[in-house]
Amino acid sequence: MSPLEIEALLLSVQVALTAIGVSLPLAIFVAWLLARKTFPGKSVLDGIVHLPLILPPVVVGYVLLVTLGRNGTIGRWLFETFDITLAFTWKGAAVAAAVMAFPLMVRAIRLSLEAVDVGLEDAARTLGASPVRVFATVTLPLASPGVLSGAVLGFARALGEFGATITFVSNIPGETRTLPIALYTLTQIPGGEDGAFRLVLISIGVAFAALLVSEIMARRLKVRLGT
Amino acid sequence: MSPLEIEALLLSVQVALTAIGVSLPLAIFVAWLLARKTFPGKSVLDGIVHLPLILPPVVVGYVLLVTLGRNGTIGRWLFETFDITLAFTWKGAAVAAAVMAFPLMVRAIRLSLEAVDVGLEDAARTLGASPVRVFATVTLPLASPGVLSGAVLGFARALGEFGATITFVSNIPGETRTLPIALYTLTQIPGGEDGAFRLVLISIGVAFAALLVSEIMARRLKVRLGT
Amino acid sequence: MSDVQSSALTDAPPVLDVDIRVQRGDAFTLHAKFTTDGGLTALFGRSGAGKTSIIDCLAGLIKPDHGHIRINGESLFDSSHGIHKAPEKRRVGYVFQDARLFPHLRVRANLIYGMRLLAESQRRHTLDEVADMLGIEKLLDRHPAALSGGETQRVAIGRALLASPNLLLMDEPLASLDNDRKAEIMPFIERLRDQSGVPIVFVSHALEEVVRLADDMVVLADGQTIAVGDVEDIMSRLDLRPHTGRFEAGAVIHVWVAGHDPLHMLTELGFGAGSIWVPKLEFDRGTPLRLRIRARDVSLALQRPTQSATLNTFEGNIVDIEHVAPDVSPHVDVLVNIGAPVIARITRRALEQLGLKSGMKVFVSVKTSAIDRHSLGLGRRRAG
Amino acid sequence: MSDVQSSALTDAPPVLDVDIRVQRGDAFTLHAKFTTDGGLTALFGRSGAGKTSIIDCLAGLIKPDHGHIRINGESLFDSSHGIHKAPEKRRVGYVFQDARLFPHLRVRANLIYGMRLLAESQRRHTLDEVADMLGIEKLLDRHPAALSGGETQRVAIGRALLASPNLLLMDEPLASLDNDRKAEIMPFIERLRDQSGVPIVFVSHALEEVVRLADDMVVLADGQTIAVGDVEDIMSRLDLRPHTGRFEAGAVIHVWVAGHDPLHMLTELGFGAGSIWVPKLEFDRGTPLRLRIRARDVSLALQRPTQSATLNTFEGNIVDIEHVAPDVSPHVDVLVNIGAPVIARITRRALEQLGLKSGMKVFVSVKTSAIDRHSLGLGRRRAG
Amino acid sequence: TMLPDRALHAAEPVTIFAAASTQQAVDAVIGACPEKAGVTCRGVYAASSTLARQIKNGAPADIFISANLIWMDYLTESGAIVPNSRQVIAHNQLVAIAPRARAPKIDSVATLLDWLAADRVALGDPAHVPAGIYAAEALTSMQAWDRLQGRVLALPNVRAALAVVARGEAFAGIVYATDAQVSDDVIVVYKILDSYHAPIVYPMGQVAGPHTPGTEDVVALFKGLVGQHAFRDAGFQVSK
Ligand SMILES: Nc1ncnc2c1ncn2[C@@H]1O[C@H](COP(=O)(O)OP(=O)(O)OP(=O)(O)O)[C@@H](O)[C@H]1O
Ligand SMILES: Nc1ncnc2c1ncn2[C@@H]1O[C@H](COP(=O)(O)OP(=O)(O)OP(=O)(O)O)[C@@H](O)[C@H]1O
Ligand SMILES: [Mg+2]
Ligand SMILES: [Mg+2]
């Protein structure tokens, strides 16, 4: 692999891992809200979660730019309060990837949470566990295959994220030029096919590695879940 | 809504519904293979299923164009054998949407299949049901929340699909100009912002409607599943 | 045990005071109303009578539509005050009918799930002690999926016990256990009942379990509370026979340990006007006990039997004669007062042959071997 | 029932021929070896003995490591020939210990799940008939989640029956049912056993169920087949007492219906050298039956009791005297031949007082009311 | 590439595959098609690269209008364009833009470069977006590329660059004059002379192989006055 390819690869993995690592807890929380609670505006929340899926990624990227850019309300606040700049940085790329992966994670986790037997949660409560503890010690472990599945799905999506990323954080070598962006760039010039093909292979390699790891984890989980 | 907007809306819904309708059975089959069978090449299959997620949509669209286009091997065969043309037709848009949505569907369905109690399948077999019948009458119904969830996720993804679609079937008014592509088109002309914004609203509207329908179906399912 | 009315006469509130209504589905309405003064209360009734529903209400897993549930006067639920305490705040130990072990935790982690949440000082049992008692030491590192039906149930019992609850709910905990295992676990439940002071509500189909273990009994049918009271009272009420079971009819009498015959491994139990010999019991002299004598184990004769292997023969007077079920049974139940009431079940043919009438003097024989450990319960505190 | 060796003497292969080894987890090895000639075979053993594992092997849900399973000579499993028939090809009806109703189907659809897969001509029961027998007519439109524990179990039984299986496997089907319900369902199982010709393998902890229902009995302990044989043989084998249970000891004798006394609702049962009166039975004269007489229900005396309400008194000779468990029990079991062997359980004190010795003449009394429906089984075909 | 079935679809409109940046002008010509050429036309807009690849893979295009020479050359070399049908139909110009609220006064290349160096500069991606390639070329000619490269925001297309400046995420950008027209939030602060870069041209060519009847008439329409007016109205420069 050329240094540029390695750079793009490492950046991609960093961005995707950050994206999933940061958004997973929120995804679990939102999935739990959707799976177990009824509250006004629930379907609005559900809709908002799905928006990044429905809107063309470029639109999502544009919305991110408008809100999280340095002139966006949130972006300005982040910058002034925490000195954090998202637009045109790899952190922004992670945010874009996280946003795009979010609905996928929420769906998978929600599905698993809904499948957890409420009877077991009841049993835990009669044993003195508070709802939070029940969630942490019973619900979440039992839903962990779904959490893992959602994380894998999200990771893959984050790895492949292109439209929102390039719109929000541009294509800055070493900062935001992830694998898909490098790949896209290559497809835009005649004769770029060979280089593009190499990047496709690298992407596939990463994906297979990630899937392999996740399958091993899933098997361990199964053993731990005793099924 | 203007006639053009209505056209794009109807086309998008048609494309997304076709994409999900056609690919769902295959997704169920692949999910079942991955959830319940061990065979050589299983992880390769798993990887291939995830590819559309990891590669930039433009690359996926390009691969589709090369293989399913009129000059592609499969495309030519389809044309000569079944008189089916995919490239630059709405059917091709459906294929692109289906391919992009496929990994999402498989993941959700697989998750639900894995959660089905094998003891119930055993019970059905002792009652004389063949494995196929067990699948159709026990496994699949019990996994139906996951199938629905996967279908919703896939539908949303199909609705929002842009990169692979425009690369594979281009941007042909009335034929392949779905909502996201119409949106893109509008952003390319002066004063298109208002129109683009309207299209974003329409997209959101469709998505909310789809989610609403799916939630109602999910609730009915829950009642039917007696939980 | 008493009605709500009568408990109002005493100063202290009843230990458990339940008066609830719940609608389940379209077809089933539950109305449960009983109080207990602690000890072990058995819920008894046919399949579908509403036993599990009551337990679920006590545990806080079902919210009743109306009424109240109070423990020592403290409301767990009170519809008129909008009180509905969360299950985890109630400190009930619940042995579920369907076990509900946590599939992702090994047996050990299942067992200590509730215990770990308690301060050291609040723990009344140790893991080893309970595991030993239930015979599950070897299973500690297994996952629940690798347990047999009975093993699963034993772990479920252990888990609830280790949570050191203030109210123990057991929903047919012994149904899937073999007799030997039951015989091992029952004394433990008795000890819990007598020594821990923890009130226990117990669902069982098996009358011998109820008689052996329960102080009070709530008889349910179709969601209605048919009868509430001392086990002795309920078991000797002839009108409840359709509910308590025809064949297993019998009387329960209060006795105390009067002496031991170590050579023959017998124990003498005293009652109103005599004593009865039973297989040796490990109780001190004076210990109050409850003894259930099944009607079918009692024989009657007009003359004192001689040279018979039956040790327990009493003289008494016939108080009442009741046809068990004239159309289907050849039996009559004869209530005889021998200083305590016992019921003898004999055939009508024998009744006619001996010409038995109310008030007649008869000799009553009870075989020592017909009295087993299942027939004995420790008398409750207030009876002692 | 016979050993594999002896069954080789007859021409027809045994109805069920099981010889399997399975390893489960690290700790548990099952070795089951028995044959039956049809009828109902009870698997009896403590929790964790391996009963469910055997049933799972018969159903094809667990593949044994070694051995064979044959029905009427046809192999369902044979490791030496690589045969392992799929569960759905075996036509076994399996009532699972944990019910396993399909949660997404209403009770009705659960019940007819297997039946619908059969040609009309192969169906041996109708939905209405089975629903009526099990008392679940009102539940047909419910989902399994809205059933009580006992209701669930009844539906599971119905589902297996309606599949009209060629081998019925029942894993503690009656454990969660109340006595009345059991009493209603047992005759149905008896009819199945006697009239359908379908071999049944039945797991139960309750000895009275086993005695009443089973022809043969397989006693298991720790995965080993301890004993196999006629229920009568097993129950009278003193060496098996630790497994079959001490308290419930008794003898099973073959009897036939000798006559009826409709006025007193009694039936006379004939045996070797006399007759015994029991509550009225709806069987024709001559019908062979098995009668279990519990040792604890039998009294002994040296003189014939007079003016006693006990109808059944027999003269006999003491064959053997056996101390039940010298260290812990005050009892001895006295085997008396009254034309058939009966066992009387008396105290050692009584033994000494009466000076009983082998060969002595004694009078044996059995109370009619101590004999209940649970004690009676229809004699098996070959015994008739 | 031969498309044997093309002639079968006689009733189909003449299809023009045009770079997205020419959409406004091409739409105007298409509006005139029925009257002036006696046929209906339709426009298909996407990135030149996308369209070129599609044409190469048998897209139902009759006419291709590219935003640069490279993709037109690519198609010509692969035989997908009738070589002698090619003609440049429009030119464009690079302009420097600023958010309307922060527009500086710039009157020389030197002030331009100082201003560009002060903040981030939004460009089309010089790796592949034509506008970005031209911009990089111009800055190189001004001997400022090395200095500015690190401040460049390379965006996937010109419209994205425009949006970034319009939102104030970058205070400077270099886009086409035609794009600058699109947004009210930006203002052109400097027009970059053609002499700093290769000419910005929009070549048109007729797709080889069987084509929709009337295609030649439409080609003529683009080359003629109707086309010139349409492109000029959209801000392009039209040569002759
Ligand atoms: N969720 C529900 N919806 C409707 N009816 C229900 C529901 N749960 C239970 N029932 C009905 O309520 C009645 C009482 O159920 P419950 O489980 O309390 O019975 P039970 O006395 O515990 O019976 P068993 O001994 O069989 O366990 C039954 O008739 C049952 O069918
Ligand atoms: N999957 C498994 N892995 C390891 N051990 C197992 C597994 N399943 C069962 N066992 C063990 O095998 C033994 C026999 O189990 P089985 O279920 O056959 O017992 P059982 O006789 O039916 O008991 P019960 O009366 O309690 O239902 C038990 O000791 C159990 O712990
Ligand atoms: Mg219950
Ligand atoms: Mg079992």
Side-chain angles (χ1 to χ4, degrees):
Chain A
M1 283 193 278
S2 75
L4 278 178
E5 285 166 351
I6 292 175
E7 188 183 74
L9 170 63
L10 292 180
L11 181 65
S12 275
V13 172
Q14 181 187 19
V15 165
L17 284 180
T18 309
I20 301 312
V22 172
S23 61
L24 194 58
L26 184 63
I28 292 172
F29 177 68
V30 171
W32 174 78
L33 277 183
L34 292 174
R36 287 288 158 86
K37 299 279 144 184
T38 26
F39 51 90
K42 176 170 168 173
S43 49
V44 174
L45 175 64
D46 196 21
I48 290 171
V49 166
H50 282 81
L51 274 190
L53 213 57
I54 290 134
L55 296 177
V58 175
V59 173
V60 177
Y62 183 72
V63 173
L64 289 178
L65 188 64
V66 169
T67 52
L68 298 180
R70 61 176 166 186
N71 293 326
T73 34
I74 304 175
R76 177 168 300 167
W77 174 78
L78 277 177
F79 180 74
E80 285 165 4
T81 324
F82 302 106
D83 198 16
I84 291 177
T85 313
L86 292 178
F88 310 113
T89 64
W90 75 267
K91 287 180 210 136
V95 169
V99 167
M100 297 306 288
F102 199 69
L104 312 188
M105 294 194 283
V106 170
R107 268 277 158 189
I109 298 166
R110 176 179 175 183
L111 199 55
S112 278
L113 289 177
E114 280 173 344
V116 172
D117 181 1
V118 184
L120 293 174
E121 299 180 354
D122 283 351
R125 293 191 72 186
T126 64
L127 288 165
S130 65
V132 171
R133 180 178 290 270
V134 171
F135 183 76
T137 59
V138 176
T139 319
L140 196 55
L142 288 174
S144 58
V147 175
L148 178 62
S149 186
V152 170
L153 203 57
F155 182 75
R157 180 72 182 85
L159 264 190
E161 169 41 37
F162 164 71
T165 308
I166 197 167
T167 309
F168 180 37
V169 297
S170 179
N171 172 4
I172 302 168
E175 179 76 27
T176 64
R177 185 177 290 175
T178 58
L179 275 178
I181 291 181
L183 190 45
Y184 172 79
T185 305
L186 284 174
T187 64
Q188 296 303 305
I189 39 180
E193 287 84 357
D194 289 355
F197 188 64
R198 287 174 57 90
L199 286 182
V200 166
L201 290 184
I202 293 173
S203 302
I204 293 176
V206 182
F208 271 74
L211 284 174
L212 218 71
V213 170
S214 82
E215 288 297 325
I216 292 169
M217 286 170 65
R219 224 163 297 151
R220 290 230 185 113
L221 262 186
K222 266 194 192 161
V223 173
R224 278 217 311 161
L225 294 184
T227 50
Chain B
M1 283 193 279
S2 76
L4 278 177
E5 285 166 353
I6 292 175
E7 188 183 71
L9 170 64
L10 292 180
L11 181 64
S12 273
V13 172
Q14 181 187 20
V15 164
L17 284 180
T18 309
I20 302 313
V22 172
S23 60
L24 193 58
L26 184 63
I28 291 172
F29 177 68
V30 171
W32 176 79
L33 277 182
L34 292 174
R36 286 288 157 87
K37 298 281 144 183
T38 27
F39 51 92
K42 176 169 169 176
S43 50
V44 174
L45 176 64
D46 197 20
I48 291 173
V49 165
H50 282 82
L51 274 190
L53 213 57
I54 290 135
L55 297 176
V58 173
V59 173
V60 176
Y62 184 64
V63 171
L64 290 177
L65 184 64
V66 171
T67 53
L68 297 181
R70 300 199 207 205
N71 301 328
T73 34
I74 304 175
R76 181 167 296 167
W77 174 78
L78 277 178
F79 180 73
E80 284 166 5
T81 324
F82 303 106
D83 199 15
I84 293 178
T85 311
L86 293 178
F88 312 110
T89 64
W90 73 267
K91 286 179 209 139
V95 169
V99 167
M100 297 306 289
F102 199 69
L104 313 187
M105 293 195 283
V106 170
R107 267 277 158 189
I109 297 168
R110 175 179 174 182
L111 199 55
S112 278
L113 288 178
E114 280 172 344
V116 171
D117 180 1
V118 184
L120 293 174
E121 299 180 355
D122 282 351
R125 292 191 71 187
T126 66
L127 289 166
S130 64
V132 172
R133 182 179 291 269
V134 171
F135 183 77
T137 59
V138 176
T139 319
L140 195 56
L142 288 174
S144 57
V147 175
L148 177 62
S149 186
V152 170
L153 204 55
F155 182 77
R157 181 70 184 85
L159 265 190
E161 169 38 40
F162 167 72
T165 308
I166 197 169
T167 310
F168 180 35
V169 297
S170 198
N171 171 4
I172 300 169
E175 180 75 27
T176 63
R177 187 174 289 176
T178 58
L179 278 176
I181 294 182
L183 189 48
Y184 164 79
T185 309
L186 279 175
T187 61
Q188 298 298 320
I189 51 172
E193 286 83 357
D194 289 354
F197 189 65
R198 286 173 58 92
L199 284 184
V200 167
L201 290 185
I202 292 172
S203 299
I204 293 175
V206 180
F208 272 73
L211 284 174
L212 219 72
V213 170
S214 82
E215 288 298 326
I216 292 170
M217 283 170 66
R219 224 163 296 153
R220 288 229 185 116
L221 261 187
K222 267 195 193 161
V223 172
R224 276 218 310 161
L225 294 185
T227 49
Chain C
M1 165 76 59
S2 48
D3 275 344
V4 179
Q5 290 86 335
S6 66
S7 81
L9 299 175
T10 68
D11 270 6
V15 172
L16 190 61
D17 175 359
V18 177
D19 182 357
I20 48 175
R21 282 171 187 278
V22 205
Q23 180 70 37
R24 307 212 68 189
D26 302 329
F28 185 76
T29 315
L30 173 71
H31 184 194
K33 184 172 157 80
F34 60 92
T35 64
T36 82
D37 291 335
L40 193 147
T41 307
L43 302 185
F44 191 82
R46 295 193 64 157
S47 168
K51 305 180 294 296
T52 301
S53 303
I54 292 179
I55 300 245
D56 278 347
C57 289
L58 292 177
L61 301 178
I62 298 178
K63 188 175 166 185
D65 303 324
H66 290 290
H68 62 254
I69 299 170
R70 301 199 185 105
I71 294 191
N72 295 316
E74 186 205 356
S75 288
L76 299 184
F77 171 78
D78 194 330
S79 60
S80 56
H81 295 83
I83 298 172
H84 178 59
K85 236 181 164 183
E88 68 270 21
K89 303 249 168 68
R90 296 189 181 198
R91 288 210 48 202
V92 298
Y94 189 161
V95 181
F96 292 87
Q97 195 167 7
D98 53 351
R100 302 199 190 172
L101 298 188
F102 303 125
H104 61 299
L105 299 180
R106 285 172 202 278
V107 167
R108 184 191 312 277
N110 263 285
L111 287 170
I112 62 173
Y113 187 94
M115 187 177 80
R116 282 198 319 139
L117 302 176
L118 294 176
E120 204 85 40
S121 61
Q122 293 182 300
R123 300 181 188 172
R124 288 193 291 258
H125 314 282
T126 67
L127 174 62
D128 290 346
E129 171 194 326
V130 168
D132 181 56
M133 186 270 300
L134 295 165
I136 51 180
E137 311 93 324
K138 288 197 192 141
L139 309 176
L140 292 178
D141 289 320
R142 294 243 194 108
H143 273 290
L147 299 180
S148 78
E151 288 163 350
T152 303
Q153 197 58 26
R154 281 180 272 156
V155 175
I157 294 173
R159 184 177 66 174
L161 290 180
L162 283 167
S164 305
N166 291 332
L167 169 64
L168 188 58
L169 307 172
M170 308 183 96
D171 198 351
E172 303 191 33
L174 307 177
S176 52
L177 299 182
D178 54 284
N179 283 331
D180 288 2
R181 195 60 80 185
K182 269 186 209 170
E184 281 167 37
I185 294 176
M186 284 216 259
F188 190 87
I189 297 178
E190 286 179 319
R191 255 180 291 144
L192 269 178
R193 176 195 64 190
D194 299 322
Q195 292 165 15
S196 69
V198 174
I200 302 173
V201 178
F202 187 94
V203 172
S204 176
H205 289 131
L207 212 61
E208 70 266 18
E209 287 175 19
V210 172
V211 168
R212 168 145 182 216
L213 298 173
D215 300 308
D216 301 321
M217 199 168 159
V218 178
V219 181
L220 295 162
D222 286 332
Q224 297 300 309
T225 314
I226 294 287
V228 183
D230 272 1
V231 173
E232 297 93 287
D233 297 345
I234 300 283
M235 293 305 292
S236 57
R237 266 175 64 185
L238 297 172
D239 61 319
L240 291 176
R241 289 284 166 84
H243 299 290
T244 52
R246 210 164 281 140
F247 176 72
E248 288 291 336
V252 176
I253 59 178
H254 284 287
V255 297
W256 62 88
V257 176
H260 296 288
D261 173 355
L263 180 68
H264 295 106
M265 290 186 204
L266 295 172
T267 291
E268 185 178 13
L269 301 176
F271 64 98
S275 68
I276 185 165
W277 291 93
V278 300
K280 188 175 172 209
L281 299 173
E282 300 289 348
F283 295 113
D284 293 335
R285 256 169 191 267
T287 311
L289 293 171
R290 273 177 308 123
L291 178 67
R292 177 164 180 255
I293 302 175
R294 271 173 286 230
R296 59 166 169 149
D297 291 329
V298 178
S299 337
L300 293 184
L302 291 179
Q303 295 179 352
R304 180 178 291 274
T306 50
Q307 300 226 305
S308 153
T310 306
L311 297 176
N312 301 306
T313 303
F314 311 97
E315 192 177 319
N317 292 302
I318 294 177
V319 176
D320 195 9
I321 297 172
E322 176 114 9
H323 287 262
V324 173
D327 298 337
V328 296
S329 166
H331 294 129
V332 291
D333 281 354
V334 181
L335 185 62
V336 182
N337 185 359
I338 57 166
V342 296
I343 301 175
R345 174 163 293 182
I346 63 173
T347 57
R348 263 189 285 147
R349 181 145 80 172
L351 185 81
E352 289 169 15
Q353 282 177 354
L354 300 180
L356 299 181
K357 297 259 146 47
S358 265
M360 266 174 86
K361 190 173 86 175
V362 287
F363 291 90
V364 170
S365 298
V366 181
K367 282 203 70 186
T368 302
S369 60
I371 293 168
D372 64 356
R373 287 176 298 170
H374 299 291
S375 315
L376 280 164
L378 271 181
R380 11 184 8 193
R381 284 141 300 154
R382 65 153 189 239
Chain D
M1 164 77 56
S2 47
D3 275 345
V4 178
Q5 290 85 334
S6 67
S7 80
L9 299 175
T10 68
D11 271 5
V15 171
L16 191 60
D17 176 359
V18 177
D19 182 358
I20 48 174
R21 280 171 189 280
V22 206
Q23 181 69 36
R24 309 212 68 190
D26 303 327
F28 184 76
T29 315
L30 174 71
H31 183 195
K33 183 173 159 76
F34 60 92
T35 64
T36 83
D37 293 333
L40 193 147
T41 306
L43 302 185
F44 191 80
R46 293 191 68 153
S47 170
K51 306 179 294 297
T52 302
S53 304
I54 294 180
I55 302 245
D56 278 346
C57 289
L58 293 177
L61 300 178
I62 297 179
K63 189 176 165 185
D65 302 324
H66 289 291
H68 62 253
I69 299 170
R70 302 200 185 104
I71 294 192
N72 295 315
E74 186 204 356
S75 288
L76 299 185
F77 171 77
D78 194 330
S79 60
S80 55
H81 294 83
I83 297 171
H84 179 58
K85 234 178 164 185
E88 69 270 23
K89 303 250 168 67
R90 298 190 179 196
R91 286 204 60 195
V92 298
Y94 190 161
V95 182
F96 292 86
Q97 194 168 7
D98 53 351
R100 301 201 189 171
L101 298 188
F102 303 126
H104 60 299
L105 299 180
R106 286 172 201 278
V107 167
R108 184 192 309 278
N110 263 286
L111 286 170
I112 63 173
Y113 187 93
M115 187 176 81
R116 281 198 320 140
L117 302 176
L118 296 175
E120 204 84 44
S121 60
Q122 293 181 298
R123 301 181 187 171
R124 288 193 290 261
H125 315 282
T126 66
L127 174 62
D128 289 348
E129 172 193 326
V130 169
D132 181 54
M133 186 270 300
L134 296 165
I136 51 179
E137 311 93 322
K138 287 196 192 139
L139 310 176
L140 292 178
D141 290 320
R142 293 243 194 109
H143 274 289
L147 299 181
S148 79
E151 289 164 349
T152 303
Q153 198 57 29
R154 282 181 272 157
V155 176
I157 296 174
R159 184 176 67 172
L161 291 180
L162 282 168
S164 305
N166 293 331
L167 170 63
L168 189 57
L169 307 172
M170 306 181 98
D171 199 352
E172 302 190 34
L174 307 177
S176 53
L177 299 183
D178 54 284
N179 284 331
D180 288 3
R181 194 59 81 184
K182 272 187 208 171
E184 281 167 38
I185 293 176
M186 284 219 259
F188 189 86
I189 297 177
E190 286 179 319
R191 256 182 288 144
L192 268 179
R193 178 193 65 190
D194 300 321
Q195 292 165 14
S196 69
V198 174
I200 303 174
V201 178
F202 187 94
V203 173
S204 176
H205 289 129
L207 212 63
E208 71 264 19
E209 286 174 20
V210 172
V211 168
R212 168 145 184 213
L213 296 174
D215 300 307
D216 301 321
M217 199 167 159
V218 178
V219 181
L220 296 162
D222 284 332
Q224 299 301 308
T225 314
I226 295 285
V228 182
D230 272 1
V231 172
E232 296 94 286
D233 297 345
I234 300 284
M235 293 305 293
S236 54
R237 268 174 65 182
L238 296 172
D239 62 318
L240 293 176
R241 287 285 164 82
H243 299 289
T244 52
R246 208 164 284 140
F247 176 73
E248 288 291 337
V252 177
I253 60 178
H254 285 286
V255 297
W256 63 88
V257 176
H260 296 287
D261 173 356
L263 181 66
H264 295 106
M265 288 186 210
L266 295 172
T267 291
E268 185 178 13
L269 301 177
F271 63 99
S275 67
I276 185 165
W277 290 93
V278 300
K280 188 173 171 208
L281 300 172
E282 300 290 348
F283 295 112
D284 291 335
R285 255 168 189 265
T287 310
L289 294 170
R290 271 175 313 121
L291 179 67
R292 175 162 182 258
I293 301 177
R294 272 172 286 229
R296 61 167 168 148
D297 291 331
V298 178
S299 336
L300 294 182
L302 291 178
Q303 294 179 354
R304 180 177 291 277
T306 50
Q307 298 224 307
S308 153
T310 306
L311 297 177
N312 300 307
T313 304
F314 310 97
E315 191 178 321
N317 292 302
I318 294 177
V319 176
D320 195 9
I321 296 172
E322 176 117 7
H323 285 263
V324 172
D327 298 339
V328 297
S329 167
H331 291 130
V332 291
D333 280 353
V334 181
L335 185 62
V336 182
N337 184 359
I338 57 166
V342 296
I343 301 175
R345 173 164 292 184
I346 63 175
T347 57
R348 262 189 287 149
R349 178 142 84 173
L351 185 83
E352 289 167 15
Q353 283 178 354
L354 299 181
L356 297 181
K357 298 255 144 53
S358 260
M360 267 175 84
K361 191 173 86 174
V362 288
F363 292 89
V364 170
S365 297
V366 181
K367 282 203 70 186
T368 302
S369 58
I371 294 168
D372 63 356
R373 286 176 297 169
H374 298 293
S375 313
L376 279 166
L378 268 182
R380 14 186 5 195
R381 282 142 301 147
R382 63 152 192 240
Chain E
T1 315
M2 292 295 116
L3 295 170
D5 61 321
R6 178 79 63 83
L8 297 177
H9 302 281
E12 286 211 337
V14 174
T15 302
I16 300 131
F17 273 38
S21 52
T22 66
Q23 187 178 344
Q24 187 188 6
V26 173
D27 274 347
V29 176
I30 285 171
C33 275
E35 196 190 328
K36 297 283 165 58
V39 289
T40 54
C41 295
R42 62 177 181 180
V44 172
Y45 307 104
S48 302
S49 56
T50 303
L51 297 173
R53 287 228 161 80
Q54 288 171 344
I55 290 169
K56 185 165 177 240
N57 280 283
D62 297 303
I63 298 167
F64 176 46
I65 298 172
S66 175
N68 53 27
L69 286 172
I70 48 174
W71 287 107
M72 187 60 88
D73 292 343
Y74 167 84
L75 284 183
T76 312
E77 279 158 24
S78 60
I81 291 288
V82 180
N84 57 16
S85 70
R86 279 181 56 166
Q87 182 179 334
V88 169
I89 56 170
H91 299 258
N92 213 338
Q93 187 179 25
L94 286 182
V95 295
I97 55 170
R100 187 170 287 277
R102 319 184 44 119
K105 238 189 114 49
I106 287 169
D107 41 20
S108 67
V109 169
T111 45
L112 172 71
L113 294 177
D114 286 348
W115 170 66
L116 289 178
D119 194 69
R120 298 186 289 215
V121 185
L123 302 182
D125 191 343
H128 60 86
V129 179
I133 297 171
Y134 292 125
E137 190 185 348
L139 292 173
T140 306
S141 312
M142 294 170 185
Q143 283 163 4
W145 179 244
D146 290 344
R147 183 155 53 109
L148 292 177
Q149 196 172 11
R151 315 202 137 267
V152 161
L153 293 179
L155 292 155
N157 55 56
V158 197
R159 294 298 159 109
L162 185 69
V164 164
V165 177
R167 294 292 317 161
E169 293 299 329
F171 297 145
I174 298 176
V175 299
Y176 292 135
T178 46
D179 296 307
Q181 277 195 321
V182 167
S183 171
D184 289 338
D185 297 326
V186 302
I187 194 160
V188 173
V189 294
Y190 192 76
K191 294 184 177 175
I192 296 169
L193 290 180
D194 276 359
S195 52
Y196 287 107
H197 53 77
I200 303 170
V201 295
Y202 292 77
M204 175 184 70
Q206 187 181 326
V207 177
H211 52 264
T212 313
T215 298
E216 289 82 357
D217 300 337
V218 178
V219 168
L221 205 59
F222 272 100
K223 291 178 178 173
L225 276 179
V226 172
Q228 287 173 19
H229 279 132
F231 276 88
R232 186 172 298 133
D233 291 349
F236 293 92
Q237 292 150 6
V238 183
S239 56
K240 195 72 259 189

